[in-house]
Amino acid sequence: MSCQIAKVAVENAAYSFDDAFDYAIPESLRTAVQPGVRVLVPFGSGNKKRQGMVFALREYRTEKKLKSIAAVLDEAPLLNNELLRLAVFLKDRTFCTLFEAAKALLPSGIGLHFVLSYIFNPNYSGDFRSLSAEERQAAEYLREKAVYVKREKILKDLGFKSDVKILESLLDQGILLKNMDAQRKIGDATVKMVRLTEAYFASETKPKFTPKQKEVISFLENVGTASVKEICYFTGVTAAVISTLAGKNSVELFENEIFRKPKFERQSSVRESIALTAEQETAYHGLLSLTKCEKAETALLFGVTGSGKTQVFLKLIDAVMKNGRSVILMVPEISLTPQMLSIFYARYGNAVAVLHSALSMGERLDEWKRIKKGEAKIALGTRSAVFAPFENIGLIIMDEEQEHTYKSEMTPRYHARDAARFRARNHNALLLLASATPSVETYARAKNGQYKLFTLKERYGNAVLPEVMTVDTVHRIGEPSSELSDVLLTELRENLQAGNQSILLLNRRGYNTFAACNACGKVMTCPNCSISLTYHVRNHRLMCHYCGYSEPFTEVCRECGEKAVAYSGAGTQHLEDALAAALPEARILRLDTDSTASRYSFEKSLKKFTNYEYDIMVGTQMVAKGLDFPDVTLVGVVSVDAMLYNDDYKSAERTFDLLTQVVGRAGRGDKAGKAIIQTAFPDNEVIRLSQRQDFPAFFDLEMQIRRAMVYPPFCDLCTVGFIGTDEQLTKGASKVFLDMLKAAHKNDYADLSLIALGPIAPKLARVSGKYRFRIILKCKNSARFRAFLSKLLKDFSKNNTFKKVTVTADINPENIY
């Protein structure tokens, strides 16, 4: 028997047997079922309806009876063939299910939730005598309603608990029928429009209109179609007048979709000419040639802070768009979006769509739809912008490409760079990586010729790199705060008196970061996580920065009962207060995730700082990168030692990156800049090289260490994580997995070069009440290695002893410990 079938990825399928499952297509749905649409399908032994995504259509010859697609949930495909292939790519490389990969490519607002409704079966002829009192009550309720009623409403109206099985029992007895409706999480935004009816134009004798009605008729005869709001504004009538005209069949009302736009400040689109320096011009023409070579290319634009990489971006984008192709520009953090958006909106207007998590779900959905409909040609946003549904991409830019935020920590655990390379290959586009401090792996590829390398060594215009000095904090005697050395406090005061602005970096939010009892030594820790609580002065609570747990501030030890709890360690709130005490005349702005929690608060704060409403900005690393303030002439790094001596192989790289980037915020205009780094280790080689802004020397030093220790780029790293509420069971699962790994490697995969470390508990061994263990594999991320690991994960899932332990795999995670 031959028929057309659909290959469907089904939601909530277990990874161990996940695939694109075969479903028959009913004749009634033949034209509606297409690759890229979502469908409702029966799944599993109980045939419970689940959401799925159609990946392909196939001609199928079989005697086996297939389950059929129950419903099509989209009018048109959401994903084109390229994005469906990208989902397969993500599944292979991130060990997720096919549906999870497809879901990651869509805006969250387009997601569906299912509403279960019941109706009394009109064909039921039995009586209710055998029913329980509750069943009889429910049956009579629905017989009286005689329409479908949502499950939640039935339970609420009858006072039943949410977990009762009364409705299911009535369904099994044939007394009720049920229906499952799929509803979008976020609906389309529409506006009510008005136009004159055909009957109005066809009628020779018009109805008798009041003066106000005539106003509306005359207005519509002139403009054709207008919204209710516009008609009321221009004619002065109320909406009731329009409703009356609709009753007379003179006008008709209809809904017209509109797009919700992010509420960023927009300027009129002005395409100003860009004057490049000779160095920028060389880079631009080299990159431009790569966009014209009709094959995919990857390049690194390595330029010192303030070298004008954005000007090169803009001119390159102009050329790509002139050829009718689209552009994706990614920035690593939402904090970098506002300034970049102001530049892009001013230059490209509504051709820009913004995609990041700070937007409402409705705004994200509508920006995505504008891209899909071809109304936007530039997608600007964080890592999810790499999935923008363009049909003809010419250029993908990853600014500050070294940033850890480009790697997703949730399923699917993809890196935006890998997804960008995939898309560049499919579109024969240029992938441009850019940074003043590129990742060691990227710079190594550029040095050995895998990527094209373009370098900007000088700052743009009259700006020069700032003077950088270190202050030994072991001998500091700063007053009134130990966080501020005498040198830094003096420079801040002088900079303030000179009318210039300053930025201070302290990469710890909160007030005090540590609390312990002097009587018994008990540290105030989170009951759910293996980490100390941080004191926040604004709400007078101790808070966990991992699970969100909080408790009231106290000086009484919960262990021994003594009033001996002492608070130490400083965060941004403490530094803000210390500055206010030392420099009472200064206007201080604090920027961290606590102070910018509300929507658009970050953008508003940046605008105020740009407008010189503040003198000093205090913040975490969100103020360190990508921001451009011409009047900032002093940058102070309050503390960086904890990051430098963290137990991760990337500690040195991250420290050098942060120091170089934050120092680069100073002296970006015509005024000379200065940067001060407070550290207890001024002779440390990483700090000395960052002081000189010497990335090539740092790269050579780091490569020697990584070669000796066998770390990337000399290998790939893979972590296999185990998470569970039972510590011993979770640890036992990791040991059994390691034994399986050793056996499989010895028997079937001896050709793979592997180094296995662990299992070990990470630095944060317990988060949100769950224990964690990890196995670290030094490997090569090849198709054979991924097949080896995938088989191990599937085989391990068959062991029911560890069914309460969650197992994850992540290749090249940002933090292995």
Side-chain angles (χ1 to χ4, degrees):
M1 182 177 68
S2 178
C3 65
Q4 191 176 54
I5 59 105
K7 308 287 287 186
V8 179
V10 181
E11 187 175 25
N12 295 328
Y15 176 75
S16 57
F17 62 85
D18 178 63
D19 203 347
F21 299 96
D22 294 339
Y23 281 90
I25 305 173
E27 190 63 35
S28 61
L29 299 179
R30 187 62 60 90
T31 57
V33 176
Q34 302 176 58
V37 300
R38 291 171 298 180
V39 292
L40 199 62
V41 295
F43 190 76
S45 57
N47 286 327
K48 186 175 180 180
K49 296 295 191 297
R50 292 194 192 178
Q51 182 184 177
M53 172 71 73
V54 177
F55 269 72
L57 304 181
R58 295 282 187 270
E59 287 298 325
Y60 194 67
R61 296 188 64 85
T62 182
E63 297 301 321
K64 180 182 177 183
K65 183 174 175 61
L66 296 175
K67 295 178 182 180
S68 295
I69 292 174
V72 178
L73 305 176
D74 298 303
E75 294 180 0
L78 300 179
L79 300 178
N80 61 20
N81 287 331
E82 182 231 346
L83 291 174
L84 290 171
R85 291 195 302 272
L86 176 56
V88 176
F89 173 87
L90 293 178
K91 170 184 166 62
D92 174 58
R93 281 159 177 77
T94 67
F95 308 100
C96 67
T97 67
L98 197 52
F99 188 87
E100 287 171 335
K103 186 178 179 182
L105 309 184
L106 298 171
S108 55
I110 210 167
L112 299 170
H113 68 275
F114 294 93
V115 178
L116 185 60
S117 301
Y118 291 89
I119 191 173
F120 186 80
N121 186 353
N123 296 321
Y124 180 74
S125 57
D127 56 42
F128 297 163
R129 284 179 294 182
S130 62
L131 302 181
S132 68
E134 291 83 2
E135 288 175 334
R136 191 179 304 115
Q137 184 183 5
E140 290 173 347
Y141 169 89
L142 285 167
R143 183 167 60 180
E144 184 179 335
K145 292 286 186 183
V147 294
Y148 277 106
V149 183
K150 292 180 182 178
R151 185 177 191 274
E152 291 75 13
K153 178 172 174 55
I154 298 171
L155 300 181
K156 181 180 178 181
D157 288 352
L158 300 180
F160 294 159
K161 294 182 179 179
S162 60
D163 59 349
V164 298
K165 301 297 182 184
I166 294 170
L167 299 176
E168 288 77 7
S169 174
L170 292 173
L171 184 70
D172 292 340
Q173 297 176 62
I175 299 173
L176 302 184
L177 300 175
K178 74 173 182 178
N179 184 54
M180 183 83 78
D181 287 324
Q183 295 183 0
R184 277 240 307 268
K185 291 181 180 177
I186 298 294
D188 295 328
T190 59
V191 63
K192 190 164 287 188
M193 305 294 291
V194 186
R195 63 190 168 204
L196 295 170
T197 63
E198 291 183 10
Y200 169 80
F201 289 111
S203 175
E204 293 183 3
T205 58
K206 308 296 184 196
K208 187 174 181 180
F209 297 123
T210 67
K212 288 185 177 180
Q213 291 171 351
K214 288 179 181 178
E215 282 277 338
V216 174
I217 295 292
S218 176
F219 181 77
L220 288 174
E221 285 177 337
N222 287 328
V223 302
T225 302
S227 69
V228 171
K229 187 176 180 180
E230 288 171 329
I231 294 172
C232 294
Y233 177 79
F234 286 106
T235 65
V237 304
T238 64
V241 176
I242 300 169
S243 297
T244 303
L245 283 171
K248 292 182 176 181
N249 200 25
S250 297
V251 303
E252 59 180 338
L253 286 81
F254 62 97
E255 299 289 338
N256 191 38
E257 184 178 5
I258 59 171
F259 292 133
R260 291 157 284 211
K261 292 187 178 180
K263 298 176 178 62
F264 296 110
E265 185 173 333
R266 297 166 187 263
Q267 301 173 15
S268 57
S269 179
V270 179
R271 191 68 61 91
E272 295 179 354
S273 60
I274 298 173
L276 301 181
T277 64
E279 194 177 47
Q280 288 174 314
E281 199 74 42
T282 300
Y284 164 70
H285 284 293
L287 292 166
L288 182 63
S289 67
L290 295 180
T291 67
K292 297 178 178 179
C293 63
E294 297 185 354
K295 67 173 184 177
E297 294 282 1
T298 303
L300 170 63
L301 181 59
F302 169 49
V304 299
T305 56
S307 57
K309 294 185 285 294
T310 302
Q311 283 93 335
V312 177
F313 294 168
L314 294 173
K315 197 157 187 182
L316 200 58
I317 290 169
D318 288 348
V320 169
M321 289 182 64
K322 189 176 180 181
N323 290 328
R325 307 187 75 184
S326 302
V327 177
I328 295 173
L329 171 61
M330 288 180 278
V331 294
E333 295 185 34
I334 296 168
S335 62
L336 303 187
T337 310
Q339 283 200 337
M340 192 70 82
L341 265 179
S342 64
I343 295 170
F344 273 67
Y345 277 147
R347 190 169 185 83
Y348 304 109
N350 285 330
V352 179
V354 57
L355 298 170
H356 65 61
S357 59
L359 304 182
S360 70
M361 290 173 67
E363 289 168 345
R364 271 180 281 170
L365 174 60
D366 287 356
E367 291 289 86
W368 181 86
K369 287 195 289 188
R370 286 207 307 122
I371 294 170
K372 190 166 178 60
K373 291 185 176 182
E375 295 183 16
K377 297 298 182 184
I378 300 172
L380 193 160
T382 46
R383 66 171 177 261
S384 61
V386 74
F387 303 134
F390 287 124
E391 296 288 345
N392 184 16
I393 300 171
L395 175 65
I396 303 175
I397 302 173
M398 283 184 68
D399 197 16
E400 307 295 352
E401 68 84 29
Q402 78 286 354
E403 283 299 310
H404 69 94
T405 50
Y406 282 124
K407 177 67 187 284
S408 172
E409 295 182 351
M410 300 175 64
T411 302
R413 293 175 172 81
Y414 70 93
H415 197 293
R417 183 174 53 241
D418 298 330
R421 269 202 299 260
F422 177 92
R423 301 207 71 186
R425 283 197 301 270
N426 278 271
H427 290 264
N428 290 326
L430 170 63
L431 170 58
L432 177 57
L433 311 174
S435 180
T437 54
S439 67
V440 170
E441 294 88 341
T442 293
Y443 196 66
R445 291 189 181 101
K447 293 281 283 184
N448 66 26
Q450 288 178 262
Y451 299 162
K452 302 293 191 297
L453 177 61
F454 300 89
T455 304
L456 302 176
K457 298 180 179 179
E458 302 293 333
R459 279 197 155 184
Y460 183 74
N462 297 323
V464 295
L465 287 170
E467 172 194 351
V468 185
M469 62 182 293
T470 58
V471 175
D472 187 346
T473 55
V474 171
H475 304 103
R476 69 184 178 206
I477 51 172
E479 292 293 342
S481 169
S482 59
E483 280 70 56
L484 298 171
S485 64
D486 290 335
V487 174
L488 180 54
L489 199 53
T490 299
E491 292 288 347
L492 284 168
R493 187 174 287 111
E494 291 178 357
N495 207 50
L496 181 63
Q497 291 170 353
N500 298 322
Q501 292 176 298
S502 305
I503 292 177
L504 291 183
L505 170 72
L506 177 58
N507 205 22
R508 294 191 301 268
R509 62 189 176 100
Y511 198 84
N512 293 118
T513 58
F514 186 81
C517 177
N518 289 332
C520 69
K522 171 70 176 179
V523 176
M524 301 296 106
T525 58
C526 174
N528 307 315
C529 309
S530 51
I531 191 170
S532 59
L533 295 170
T534 299
Y535 172 56
H536 286 242
V537 70
R538 297 299 180 265
N539 61 0
H540 299 289
R541 298 185 72 85
L542 294 169
M543 300 183 68
C544 175
H545 289 172
Y546 283 84
C547 72
Y549 169 84
S550 71
E551 61 183 50
F553 166 81
T554 181
E555 294 179 349
V556 178
C557 177
R558 63 189 181 200
E559 189 75 15
C560 69
E562 293 291 325
K563 190 177 180 181
V565 176
Y567 293 84
S568 58
T572 48
Q573 291 180 4
H574 191 284
L575 181 59
E576 179 185 18
D577 286 354
L579 275 171
L583 302 170
E585 70 277 24
R587 298 167 298 173
I588 302 165
L589 171 67
R590 176 170 58 87
L591 283 183
D592 53 30
T593 54
D594 296 319
S595 65
T596 58
S598 60
R599 289 186 66 205
Y600 303 115
S601 58
F602 189 86
E603 292 86 339
K604 292 174 183 175
S605 295
L606 286 185
K607 183 180 179 182
K608 290 179 180 179
F609 191 74
T610 302
N611 293 340
Y612 223 109
E613 294 179 39
Y614 292 99
D615 305 302
I616 302 173
M617 181 191 294
V618 176
T620 53
Q621 63 180 3
M622 65 167 59
V623 306
K625 302 172 185 183
L627 302 177
D628 192 354
F629 302 108
D631 289 315
V632 171
T633 56
L634 176 65
V635 166
V637 180
V638 176
S639 176
V640 78
D641 298 340
M643 175 181 283
L644 179 61
Y645 290 100
N646 200 0
D647 58 352
D648 191 284
Y649 80 99
K650 285 190 173 183
S651 295
E653 180 181 1
R654 289 186 181 126
T655 305
F656 183 89
D657 167 42
L658 186 64
L659 288 176
T660 302
Q661 293 284 352
V662 72
V663 163
R665 298 315 104 203
R668 298 176 72 90
D670 294 332
K671 303 173 184 177
K674 181 182 288 188
I676 297 173
I677 302 171
Q678 294 186 162
T679 174
F681 308 96
D683 294 328
N684 181 281
E685 191 71 5
V686 174
I687 291 178
R688 288 201 309 107
L689 291 173
S690 64
Q691 186 178 355
R692 291 181 0 219
Q693 305 276 285
D694 192 346
F695 178 83
F698 167 76
F699 171 79
D700 292 339
L701 173 66
E702 188 68 6
M703 286 289 279
Q704 293 176 31
I705 298 170
R706 295 199 184 184
R707 184 183 289 108
M709 300 297 292
V710 192
Y711 277 120
F714 300 100
C715 73
D716 290 294
L717 291 177
C718 176
T719 60
V720 183
F722 304 84
I723 304 172
T725 55
D726 186 315
E727 183 177 12
Q728 292 307 313
L729 184 68
T730 307
K731 186 176 183 180
S734 64
K735 289 181 177 179
V736 169
F737 187 93
L738 181 61
D739 290 340
M740 291 177 61
L741 183 147
K742 290 177 179 177
H745 182 256
K746 181 179 179 181
N747 296 331
D748 302 315
Y749 294 89
D751 56 304
L752 292 177
S753 178
L754 286 178
I755 299 174
L757 306 174
I760 60 170
K763 186 175 181 181
L764 277 171
R766 186 168 175 255
V767 175
S768 298
K770 294 182 178 180
Y771 294 93
R772 308 190 299 169
F773 289 88
R774 286 184 182 177
I775 294 171
I776 300 171
L777 302 176
K778 294 184 178 181
C779 58
K780 179 174 180 175
N781 183 15
S782 63
R784 179 141 174 87
F785 170 77
R786 293 193 298 271
F788 164 67
L789 184 56
S790 179
K791 184 176 185 304
L792 271 174
L793 292 168
K794 291 176 180 179
D795 289 346
F796 182 79
S797 69
K798 298 173 185 176
N799 190 335
N800 288 330
T801 304
F802 304 113
K803 62 183 179 181
K804 293 185 177 180
V805 177
T806 301
V807 184
T808 61
D810 192 0
I811 295 182
N812 292 322
E814 283 300 314
N815 191 330
I816 62 174
Y817 297 113

